[in-house]
């Protein structure tokens, strides 16, 4: 019996080769796209799970509101790691990290710049149980100037040698002894460092200062620990340690309750390690995380694409129903039951689904490199995994059921007496199911197009918004400390070329990955025990040419001047700072003060730093456009370092690069020359959104293509059911254009219904997405109309081809059976 069923199935496939090929290709493409999305989602969900005891590791996060600013950060005080182990019984081990940017590393004479470097506490290997390839785990980071390096780093500097016990020189000044080599951290980690330096030698790690938040702290807790209970204990612990320090400044009657009543807060919470990659977007992330919202979105796209592909399968199967109607009638007349016919049709569907899955793997293999390039991932099909083949087998069965059940019921339901007389159905009007399917397909298409348009509009808005500074035609040269005392010489020699307009030295720039320093300041003479007088403000150390090089606009007062000696104690503040300080009168000439030193160490109220406001700069964005513009203060630094930024003329960029590199090599032979452009660094702040937009657009295009295959099928179905009507109309003189309009208007109505259904959903979804941005595009009806216009254009193009073919048929061929 099974042999006979397979024979009938193959005969049916061969008889309708074109429909069968479209069926298989449409289903294969849909499955291939779903497979790629499944690999992507699996990868995103796997982050940090490779660490032993990953479900018991937490990160300490901070939620601070102070001085008119709000911060949600990954940072905590330096002493917190030790205090957690000593005072919270549930904590088995704790480690803290300190980021210091990139380092120049060398073994002999030539430096190599490394960015994946971090200072780590001595308990790193206890919290993150990473296997060591060489070395002793015990006390690996206990001593200052010791380091752990990855296998990759060991191969780079000590290929074929035992690196343990040898040393590397950092920043041309400090020797670090290698105590161990650890396995390379997998890509699916929220951090991927290659060099771990002992944090024990850092001054800030030994200061015991509870008001500085500059360390990322992680803990390993026992299996029975309760997160909420630990957070309550941490709150009690921090209050105990912070209150005595704050009393030195705020007065003996200071309490955290009063602090909170004034609108301020310093709260610490625990974040599960496994939540970081998908649920965290805090200040101080080791690298850009993904978002669970996008994961859910891609899962929804995969489901929709698969449903669209299955719907196309149904429509294509029923579109040529007349070819199988008489077969059904004859078999029923010969005694076949409906269940036997359903089994026959479902077997055909399962066979086609199985073939489609095999072809889908091939298509996915071809598309995966392009997806990896768009998404910035390194995914591969796990051919060596038994689970993959199990997934594919179960998937082919499920898809076969979804795609085949409706056609099987539809075709097996024909009445023998009617179909043998040629009466098959009343066409599309009699089928609410098919109308609903096309509405569903194009509702999805409209939503996807609308979302894609809004996403790219927001990215375009970000790239073209007035940022308050000029990001174009500025080259950034890193690692200025490698020049020693020749930084100013380098700047002046580069400025001596006609290709360069201006230049500045400062590690503080309005893009991510550059320096930040935030301290409390207040207007001189005001009582700092009144917490409303304290303003949390960014302190950026710059040189005299900073404002003009970056094209910032002074709206009050003046810029710094090298000819005015008193500018060594002058500051320029932005509009947000003016608002937060709430000066009495004109801000120009006002004096502001803070504790001496960058880190507020000691909190000695007798040792204060006083600055005079000489200018107000227009607000400029220095964080993501998701954030409001905070308070910033520019201070003149007599010996700025970090990055040299040069504004160059719009000529040959390669000539500018060569010029700057030659000057660097003249002054710093043997030191690596590292540069980038300010506009590229700015764009990298939104690299994740840009990648998502490109991937989203690609999947939207595929979804629309598959949906159009379904529309093609439905147009073919309608044309076949109405071929006698078309023949009669044409015999009576109807034009081809009027027949095309007749056949297309039913589907046009359905696309309009899809528009009504989809528009509110798309509008609501993108409104929620845009809520993450403080600065964003405004949603307008023109976006909705543009989306429906695209869908209508595509739909009419597809319908027009099929309708024209049907309308051009010779009426003799349509009516010769009458």
């Amino acid at each position: 019996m099974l042999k006979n069923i397979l024979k009938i199935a193959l005969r049916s496939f061969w008889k309708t080769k074109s429909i069968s090929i479209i069926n298989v290709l449409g289903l294969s493409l849909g499955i291939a796209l779903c497979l790629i999305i499944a690999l992507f989602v699996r990868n995103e969900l796997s982050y940090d799970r490779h660490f032993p005891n990953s479900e018991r590791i937490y990160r300490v996060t901070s939620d601070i509101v102070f001085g008119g600013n709000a911060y949600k950060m990954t940072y905590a005080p330096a002493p917190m790691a030790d205090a957690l182990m000593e005072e919270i019984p549930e904590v088995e081990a704790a480690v803290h990290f300190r980021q210091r940017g990139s380092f120049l590393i060398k073994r002999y004479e030539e430096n190599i710049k490394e960015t994946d470097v971090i200072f780590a506490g001595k308990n790193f290997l206890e919290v993150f149980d990473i296997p060591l390839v060489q070395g002793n785990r015990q006390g690996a980071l206990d001593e200052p100037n010791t380091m752990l390096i990855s296998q990759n780093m060991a191969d780079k500097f000590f290929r074929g040698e035992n690196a343990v016990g040898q040393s590397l020189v950092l920043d041309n000044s400090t020797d670090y002894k290698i105590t161990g080599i650890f396995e390379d951290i997998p890509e699916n980690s929220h951090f991927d460092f290659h060099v771990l330096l002992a944090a024990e030698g850092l001054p800030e790690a030994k200061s015991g200062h509870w008001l500085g938040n500059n360390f990322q702290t992680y803990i390993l807790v026992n299996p029975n620990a309760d997160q909420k209970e630990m957070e309550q204990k941490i709150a009690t612990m921090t209050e105990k340690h912070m209150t005595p320090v704050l009393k030195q400044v705020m007065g003996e009657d200071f309490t955290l309750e009063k602090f909170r009543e004034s609108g301020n807060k310093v709260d610490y919470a625990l974040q599960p390690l496994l939540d970081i990659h998908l649920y965290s977007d805090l200040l101080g992330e080791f690298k850009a995380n993904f978002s669970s919202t996008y994961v859910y979105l891609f899962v929804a796209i995969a489901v929709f694409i698969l449903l669209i592909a299955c719907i196309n399968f149904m429509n294509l199967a029923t579109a040529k129903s007349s070819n199988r109607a008489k077969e059904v009638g004859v078999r029923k007349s010969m005694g076949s039951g409906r269940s036997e016919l359903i089994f026959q049709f479902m077997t055909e569907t399962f066979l086609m689904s199985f073939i489609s899955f095999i072809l889908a793997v091939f298509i996915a293999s071809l598309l995966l490199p392009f997806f990896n390039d768009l998404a910035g991932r390194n995914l591969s099909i796990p051919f060596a995994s038994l689970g993959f083949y199990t997934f594919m087998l179960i998937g082919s069965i499920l898809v076969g059921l979804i795609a085949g059940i409706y056609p099987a019921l539809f075709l097996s339901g024909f009445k023998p007496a009617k179909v043998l007389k040629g009466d098959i159905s009343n066409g599309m009007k009699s089928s609410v199911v098919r109308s609903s399917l096309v509405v569903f397909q194009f509702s999805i298409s409209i939503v996807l197009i609308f979302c894609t348009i809004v996403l790219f509009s927001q990215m375009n808005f970000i790239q073209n918004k007035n940022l308050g500074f000029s990001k174009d035609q500025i080259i950034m040269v890193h690692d200025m400390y490698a020049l020693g005392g020749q930084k100013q010489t380098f700047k002046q020699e580069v400025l001596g070329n006609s290709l360069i307009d201006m230049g500045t030295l400062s590690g503080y720039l309005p893009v991510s990955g550059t320096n930040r320093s935030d301290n409390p300041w207040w207007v001189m003479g005001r009582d700092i025990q009144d917490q409303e007088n304290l303003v949390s403000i960014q302190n950026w150390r710059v040189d005299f040419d900073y404002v003009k090089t970056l094209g910032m606009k002074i709206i009050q007062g003046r810029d710094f001047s090298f000819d005015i000696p008193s500018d060594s104690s002058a500051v320029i503040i932005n509009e947000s700072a003016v608002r937060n300080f709430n000066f009495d009168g004109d801000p120009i000439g006002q004096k502001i003060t803070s504790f001496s030193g960058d880190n507020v160490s000691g909190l000695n109220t007798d040792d204060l730093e006083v600055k005079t406001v000489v200018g107000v700069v227009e607000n400029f964005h220095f964080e993501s456009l998701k954030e409001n513009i905070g308070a910033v203060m520019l201070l003149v630094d007599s010996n700025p370092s970090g990055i040299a930024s040069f504004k160059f003329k719009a000529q040959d960029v390669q000539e500018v690069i060569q010029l700057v590199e030659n000057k660097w090599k003249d002054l710093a032979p043997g030191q690596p020359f590292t540069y980038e452009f300010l506009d590229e660094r700015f764009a990298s702040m939104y690299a994740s959104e840009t990648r998502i937009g490109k991937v989203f657009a690609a999947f939207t295009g595929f979804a629309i293509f598959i949906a159009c295959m379904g529309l093609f099928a439905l147009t073919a179905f309608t044309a076949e059911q109405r071929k006698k009507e078309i023949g009669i109309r044409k015999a009576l003189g109807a034009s081809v254009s009027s027949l095309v309009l007749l056949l297309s208007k039913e589907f046009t109505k359905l696309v309009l219904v899809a528009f009504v259904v989809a528009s509110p959903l798309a509008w609501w979804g993108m409104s929620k997405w845009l809520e993450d941005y403080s600065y964003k595009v405004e949603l307008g009806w023109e976006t909705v109309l543009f989306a429906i216009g695209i869908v209508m254009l595509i739909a009419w193009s597809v319908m027009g081809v099929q309708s024209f073919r049907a309308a051009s048929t010779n009426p003799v061929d349509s009516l010769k059976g009458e």
Side-chain angles (χ1 to χ4, degrees):
M1 179 181 175
L2 184 59
K3 181 180 179 181
N4 183 56
I5 288 174
L6 290 173
K7 186 183 296 184
I8 295 172
L10 293 172
R11 186 185 301 142
S12 174
F13 294 162
W14 183 256
K15 188 176 181 181
T16 56
K17 291 187 291 292
S18 59
I19 289 294
S20 298
I21 291 172
I22 293 175
N23 257 331
V24 171
L25 288 178
L27 202 55
S28 298
L29 181 58
I31 294 167
L33 296 175
C34 287
L35 177 58
I36 291 174
I37 292 176
L39 292 172
F40 176 73
V41 170
R42 187 186 73 158
N43 180 72
E44 300 307 304
L45 295 176
S46 70
Y47 266 69
D48 296 314
R49 295 185 183 276
H50 51 80
F51 290 117
N53 302 314
S54 57
E55 71 285 351
R56 295 198 283 127
I57 299 175
Y58 292 83
R59 179 173 68 181
V60 179
T61 63
S62 55
D63 185 2
I64 299 173
V65 178
F66 180 69
N69 291 323
Y71 305 97
K72 292 186 176 182
M73 307 185 295
T74 65
Y75 300 117
M80 181 169 280
D82 289 338
L84 286 168
M85 287 193 296
E86 293 171 3
E87 302 181 33
I88 310 294
E90 294 92 336
V91 177
E92 295 183 356
V95 62
H96 58 202
F97 298 95
R98 179 76 162 106
Q99 287 179 296
R100 283 284 189 85
S102 61
F103 286 82
L104 298 178
I105 301 179
K106 66 180 180 180
R107 184 181 181 188
Y108 299 117
E109 296 298 325
E110 186 175 350
N111 273 305
I112 296 176
K113 181 176 180 177
E114 297 293 344
T115 56
D116 299 324
V117 183
I118 197 167
F119 287 92
K122 58 186 177 182
N123 296 318
F124 171 77
L125 292 176
E126 293 181 41
V127 177
F128 298 96
D129 189 13
I130 300 175
L132 283 190
V133 179
Q134 295 179 29
N136 188 352
R137 302 179 66 86
Q138 196 68 30
L141 293 173
D142 283 3
E143 299 296 327
N145 298 339
T146 57
M147 67 193 307
L148 292 171
I149 63 174
S150 69
Q151 182 69 63
N152 178 278
M153 191 65 60
D155 291 340
K156 182 184 295 186
F157 287 96
F158 303 96
R159 182 172 294 276
E161 300 179 49
N162 183 2
V164 175
Q166 302 202 55
S167 296
L168 292 173
V169 181
L170 272 65
D171 289 345
N172 299 312
S173 60
T174 309
D175 287 7
Y176 275 80
K177 180 181 177 181
I178 299 169
T179 58
I181 300 172
F182 57 87
E183 290 185 359
D184 291 338
I185 298 174
E187 289 184 2
N188 56 338
S189 305
H190 80 284
F191 62 74
D192 51 3
F193 300 106
H194 290 288
V195 178
L196 298 169
L197 307 177
E200 297 307 305
L202 291 176
E204 58 265 41
K206 298 183 292 184
S207 68
H209 180 33
W210 276 86
L211 295 188
N213 292 281
N214 45 22
F215 280 79
Q216 288 107 325
T217 302
Y218 292 76
I219 60 174
L220 174 68
V221 303
N222 65 50
N224 299 319
D226 180 83
Q227 181 179 342
K228 295 298 182 184
E229 290 182 5
M230 286 191 296
E231 287 175 341
Q232 292 174 358
K233 292 178 181 179
I234 290 173
T236 302
M237 180 189 76
T238 53
E239 181 173 357
K240 181 183 75 173
H241 289 286
M242 290 177 63
T243 300
V245 182
L246 287 167
K247 282 181 181 291
Q248 298 177 31
V249 183
M250 313 303 294
E252 286 301 319
D253 61 342
F254 171 85
T255 63
L256 283 179
E257 286 76 17
K258 291 182 179 179
F259 184 74
R260 294 190 180 97
E261 286 172 4
S262 63
N264 299 314
K265 68 175 180 178
V266 180
D267 293 335
Y268 296 98
L270 295 178
Q271 183 178 49
L273 176 69
L274 299 181
D275 285 355
I276 292 176
H277 179 64
L278 293 180
Y279 298 96
S280 185
D281 186 20
L282 303 176
L283 182 64
E285 299 286 357
F286 286 127
K287 61 182 181 181
N289 293 321
F290 203 61
S291 169
S292 60
T293 301
Y294 292 133
V295 171
Y296 297 140
L297 181 62
F298 279 113
V299 170
I301 291 175
V303 172
F304 288 150
I305 287 176
L306 188 59
L307 286 177
I308 289 174
C310 290
I311 288 169
N312 285 351
F313 187 95
M314 300 176 196
N315 291 333
L316 285 167
T318 56
K320 294 295 182 180
S321 57
S322 60
N323 294 337
R324 307 292 300 270
K326 290 184 179 179
E327 174 194 340
V328 171
V330 170
R331 292 183 64 177
K332 278 192 172 184
S333 299
M334 298 296 292
S336 294
R338 188 176 185 183
S339 60
E340 294 176 1
L341 292 172
I342 291 175
F343 184 73
Q344 168 70 53
F345 295 132
M346 288 302 297
T347 301
E348 294 177 10
T349 303
F350 284 132
L351 181 60
M352 196 168 290
S353 174
F354 184 73
I355 295 171
S356 298
F357 263 81
I358 295 175
L359 185 58
V361 174
F362 174 73
I363 296 174
S365 300
L366 295 178
L367 295 178
L368 202 52
F370 300 100
F371 178 84
N372 284 335
D373 186 54
L374 285 177
R377 295 293 188 268
N378 188 26
L379 306 179
S380 60
I381 298 176
F383 289 111
S385 171
L386 180 61
F388 170 71
Y389 297 101
T390 303
F391 169 80
M392 297 297 287
L393 179 61
I394 295 174
S396 65
I397 295 172
L398 289 176
V399 169
L401 282 172
I402 296 171
I405 191 67
Y406 170 64
L409 293 174
F410 177 80
L411 292 171
S412 64
F414 286 138
K415 303 296 182 184
K418 288 186 176 182
V419 296
L420 292 176
K421 292 180 181 180
D423 181 10
I424 300 173
S425 73
N426 293 323
M428 181 180 140
K429 291 182 180 179
S430 65
S431 178
V432 176
V433 174
R434 278 191 294 276
S435 297
S436 301
L437 292 179
V438 78
V439 168
F440 176 78
Q441 285 181 313
F442 279 92
S443 294
I444 294 172
S445 299
I446 292 170
V447 168
L448 292 176
I449 291 174
F450 181 85
C451 294
T452 302
I453 293 171
V454 172
L455 199 153
F456 277 99
S457 296
Q458 177 65 13
M459 291 302 103
N460 184 64
F461 172 81
I462 289 171
Q463 292 298 328
N464 295 287
K465 187 184 184 302
N466 179 13
L467 302 170
F469 69 94
S470 173
K471 61 180 172 34
D472 299 320
Q473 294 168 227
I474 293 180
I475 185 172
M476 304 160 56
V477 182
H478 294 274
D479 310 319
M480 291 298 292
Y481 53 81
L483 292 173
Q486 300 188 90
K487 293 189 289 290
Q488 290 293 344
T489 303
F490 173 73
K491 175 185 172 183
Q492 295 306 321
E493 289 197 8
V494 173
L495 287 174
N497 192 284
S498 60
L499 291 174
I500 308 299
D501 284 334
M502 290 169 283
T504 182
L505 299 178
S506 177
Y508 296 86
L509 291 170
V511 288
S512 64
T514 58
N515 294 348
R516 296 291 183 267
S517 177
D518 187 282
N519 289 331
W521 286 70
W522 61 93
V523 178
M524 191 172 181
R526 291 183 181 175
D527 183 8
I528 63 172
Q529 294 189 25
D530 182 353
Q531 296 160 28
E532 293 184 358
N533 290 330
L534 294 175
V535 174
S536 180
I537 185 170
Q538 285 286 319
N539 310 257
W540 290 17
R541 301 197 173 275
V542 303
D543 68 3
F544 290 96
D545 301 318
Y546 185 86
V547 172
K548 62 184 179 184
T549 301
L550 293 180
M552 295 175 175
K553 183 179 179 181
I554 300 290
I555 58 175
Q556 278 185 269
R558 62 175 176 82
D559 194 359
F560 296 123
S561 173
F562 189 78
D563 298 325
I564 304 177
S566 61
D567 272 6
S568 60
S569 61
V571 295
I572 296 174
I573 60 176
N574 70 346
E575 295 172 280
S576 294
V578 173
R579 182 181 64 250
N580 292 354
F581 277 120
N582 192 24
F583 293 110
D584 297 326
D586 191 342
I588 305 303
Q590 297 272 0
K591 294 186 182 299
I592 58 176
T593 186
S594 182
F595 305 104
S596 180
D598 289 338
N599 293 313
V600 204
S601 56
L603 298 174
N604 184 356
T605 54
D606 296 326
D607 184 15
L608 299 178
E609 185 176 8
V610 180
K611 298 290 183 180
T612 302
V613 179
V614 300
V616 177
V617 67
E618 183 180 64
N619 271 347
F620 57 90
H621 292 275
F622 59 93
E623 300 293 354
S624 166
L625 265 68
K626 294 181 179 180
E627 310 294 335
N628 289 314
I629 298 176
V632 179
M633 173 173 64
L634 307 180
L635 307 89
V636 173
D637 190 342
S638 60
N639 186 33
S641 187
I643 299 172
S645 302
F646 297 101
K647 179 81 172 177
F648 59 89
K649 292 181 172 64
Q651 297 183 20
D652 186 355
V653 175
Q654 290 301 319
E655 188 177 355
V656 171
I657 296 171
Q658 192 63 53
L659 159 71
V660 179
E661 184 176 7
N662 288 340
K663 296 297 182 184
W664 175 275
K665 289 180 177 178
D666 289 343
L667 296 174
Q671 307 299 329
F673 173 68
T674 309
Y675 73 93
E676 64 181 321
F677 295 98
L678 187 62
D679 57 347
E680 293 178 353
R681 170 60 74 88
F682 177 80
S684 70
M685 295 168 63
Y686 306 94
S688 177
E689 287 88 347
T690 302
R691 282 174 176 161
I692 290 298
K694 291 178 179 179
V695 173
F696 199 88
F699 281 111
T700 297
F702 281 122
I704 293 171
F705 175 75
I706 296 172
C708 286
M709 292 178 66
L711 185 60
F712 181 88
L714 281 178
T715 309
F717 177 85
T718 302
E720 180 161 343
Q721 298 302 311
R722 301 177 70 176
K723 65 181 180 181
K724 291 181 181 178
E725 175 192 347
I726 293 170
I728 293 171
R729 287 177 179 271
K730 199 166 185 185
L732 294 175
S735 65
V736 172
S737 59
S738 66
L739 291 174
V740 170
L741 183 63
L742 175 70
L743 291 172
S744 301
K745 69 178 183 179
E746 295 289 346
F747 299 104
T748 303
K749 292 177 184 178
L750 295 178
V751 174
L752 291 174
V753 171
F755 164 72
V756 173
V757 172
S759 297
L761 293 174
W763 190 289
W764 174 81
M766 295 314 292
S767 296
K768 296 294 288 183
W769 179 73
L770 287 171
E771 286 180 0
D772 289 339
Y773 292 87
S774 296
Y775 304 89
K776 57 200 171 192
V777 294
E778 295 295 329
L779 291 181
W781 282 104
E782 64 276 6
T783 308
V784 180
L785 295 176
F786 185 58
I788 186 63
I790 292 176
V791 172
M792 276 294 190
L793 179 63
I794 295 172
W796 268 87
S797 299
V798 173
M799 290 186 296
V801 171
Q802 188 64 29
S803 299
F804 180 80
R805 181 188 299 176
S808 301
T809 303
N810 191 330
V812 174
D813 295 332
S814 302
L815 300 173
K816 64 184 179 181
E818 298 298 315

